[in-house]
Amino acid sequence: MRLASYLFLFALLVSTADAAAAEQVSHGATPDWPPAPAASPGWDAPRFEKYLAKLSPEGSRAKPRFNGSNWTPETKARIREAVKSGYNFAGHYTIVEMGCGTECKSAWIVDGRSGAIHAFPLGGEGTSSLKLVYNVKSRLIKSAWLNSEKVLYRQQDFDWDGKDFNNIVGMDHTDKGTFFRCDVLDSSVSMEWPSDEAKTSPSEELRFETFPARVFQNGPVKLPQFDGRDRGAREYRTRISDAMKSGANFAGHYRIVEIGCGTGYSCVYIADTNSGKVWDFPLGGMEYLNLDLKYSPDSRLIKARWIDGLNGDQADCAESVAEWDGRSFNSFGKTHRGVADETYCSFEPPQNE
């Protein structure tokens, strides 16, 4: 009789632990996760096109499988609704991001073939600042968040192999803010902006009229497909759509949309007014303080200035110029100059109405 009692207590303890673990995962808490290797100086940020996924036709998709009893009705409803929009990650997966309480954010990965649901390894209490960047053509997912004191910013990249998220690289920043530079939304187009040093200021030598636009807006503006192809920019869909309605302001038929996303920081998108396609501009976010862009609707040339670092009362003002060829930005290099105050790192007079 005593042995039976011990067995009963042991079974009860095991079932309680399993239930607690399931409850933790179902609410997006962060599981144990080995640290990623730290980025070294001069590191090359992982790019989406280096981690290509096999695309799957949308067709019929498996229904999400909610194993266990710890799923709330609200979470189930959000996931079921999200998968209706189709795949948005690694060929045949749908990532579903949602809040899970005050200062809490969670994310789920739903397999469109099997219906299996995987919890993203980062999330839970204190992660409301978590930002994820991904696209349907790549296995790569980029994440960034602030620690509980909101003074240490961490960025981490993962490669999804169908079962696990494999750490690629991690980086810590001491900058304050909640947004980080996002790479291109469409991995078929290169938005890399090389940072090779130039001997003289390219801005002073290169003129807009030397790089005239070749194709212009050919009718009414076509708006993005925020529920499909351009879902990566859905967070700012209203701002982007409203800006595009005013027509092209760059390279003949493109609209550059600059959106404030933190004190001194801008999130920038480039949208094609002829096709409605949206890309994440290569400069912007926490790495480009006080970013100032100069461009013209009649030219393929774009000039940029930003604060690249602060040293006491001195600010390091970076300047770069690039040509857009319809598929990539071809940089003419980058120069630096010290300025007495960071407010002086801008084009004068102010451009871009």
Side-chain angles (χ1 to χ4, degrees):
M1 187 70 177
R2 182 175 297 177
L3 178 59
S5 298
Y6 286 154
L7 291 175
F8 173 76
L9 290 173
F10 178 78
L12 180 62
L13 287 172
V14 171
S15 64
T16 302
D18 287 344
E23 180 74 7
Q24 183 187 43
V25 172
S26 69
H27 284 84
T30 305
D32 292 335
W33 195 250
S40 59
W43 70 298
D44 290 327
R47 295 188 59 79
F48 291 104
E49 58 265 30
K50 292 184 179 180
Y51 298 86
L52 293 178
K54 293 183 179 180
L55 297 179
S56 297
E58 286 289 344
S60 60
R61 295 184 293 272
K63 294 181 179 179
R65 293 192 286 108
F66 299 98
N67 294 330
S69 59
N70 294 289
W71 297 94
T72 65
E74 293 79 7
T75 300
K76 287 183 177 181
R78 289 287 300 277
I79 291 177
R80 288 189 178 113
E81 185 63 27
V83 298
K84 293 179 182 178
S85 297
Y87 306 139
N88 61 11
F89 173 63
H92 62 274
Y93 296 89
T94 301
I95 290 183
V96 186
E97 302 178 55
M98 66 183 73
C100 49
T102 304
E103 292 291 317
C104 181
K105 188 172 183 179
S106 62
W108 307 94
I109 295 84
V110 184
D111 189 331
R113 293 176 179 171
S114 68
I117 302 176
H118 309 267
F120 187 70
L122 303 176
E125 295 299 327
T127 61
S128 61
S129 64
L130 179 66
K131 295 281 186 178
L132 301 178
V133 179
Y134 46 87
N135 69 56
V136 72
K137 297 182 180 180
S138 178
R139 309 186 314 271
L140 181 68
I141 183 168
K142 294 173 176 283
S143 63
W145 68 99
L146 293 167
N147 69 351
S148 57
E149 290 79 23
K150 298 191 183 300
V151 295
L152 180 64
Y153 155 86
R154 179 148 182 87
Q155 182 173 333
Q156 201 156 339
D157 296 348
F158 306 99
D159 175 18
W160 170 250
D161 65 10
K163 295 182 179 179
D164 298 300
F165 285 95
N166 301 298
N167 293 9
I168 301 174
V169 69
M171 177 183 287
D172 287 330
H173 304 269
T174 55
D175 307 53
K176 294 182 179 180
T178 60
F179 202 89
F180 70 111
R181 178 192 165 204
C182 304
D183 276 349
V184 63
L185 299 176
D186 183 350
S187 63
S188 67
V189 178
S190 173
M191 299 291 279
E192 185 70 10
W193 189 309
S195 58
D196 298 335
E197 296 299 320
K199 294 181 179 179
T200 59
S201 172
S203 179
E204 297 176 359
E205 298 178 348
L206 300 173
R207 301 176 64 83
F208 289 104
E209 54 266 31
T210 308
F211 301 85
R214 300 189 182 102
V215 180
F216 291 84
Q217 185 176 326
N218 56 17
V221 172
K222 190 170 183 179
L223 295 178
Q225 301 171 15
F226 290 115
D227 291 329
R229 178 194 62 200
D230 308 301
R231 64 172 65 88
R234 183 178 173 82
E235 182 178 2
Y236 295 109
R237 59 189 181 278
T238 300
R239 297 284 298 275
I240 293 173
S241 296
D242 288 347
M244 290 182 67
K245 291 175 183 177
S246 297
N249 64 0
F250 171 63
H253 61 100
Y254 297 92
R255 181 80 192 188
I256 288 181
V257 185
E258 302 178 57
I259 303 171
C261 53
T263 305
Y265 302 111
S266 299
C267 303
V268 186
Y269 293 90
I270 176 172
D272 188 336
T273 60
N274 286 340
S275 69
K277 201 166 191 175
V278 180
W279 299 277
D280 194 1
F281 190 72
L283 308 183
M286 290 184 61
E287 298 177 20
Y288 299 89
L289 177 63
N290 288 6
L291 177 65
D292 188 20
L293 300 175
K294 186 177 181 181
Y295 44 86
S296 165
D298 300 317
S299 176
R300 308 187 311 275
L301 195 70
I302 184 167
K303 302 181 180 184
R305 285 181 181 174
W306 68 93
I307 297 295
D308 210 22
L310 299 174
N311 182 15
D313 295 331
Q314 281 284 107
D316 179 15
C317 181
E319 181 175 335
S320 186
V321 179
E323 176 194 3
W324 170 248
D325 65 10
R327 294 193 60 82
S328 60
F329 284 100
N330 302 301
S331 173
F332 293 96
K334 182 173 71 172
T335 58
H336 293 264
R337 62 185 174 89
V339 293
D341 186 276
E342 60 187 77
T343 58
Y344 288 99
C345 188
S346 61
F347 293 103
E348 296 292 345
Q351 301 289 321
N352 313 326
E353 298 181 353

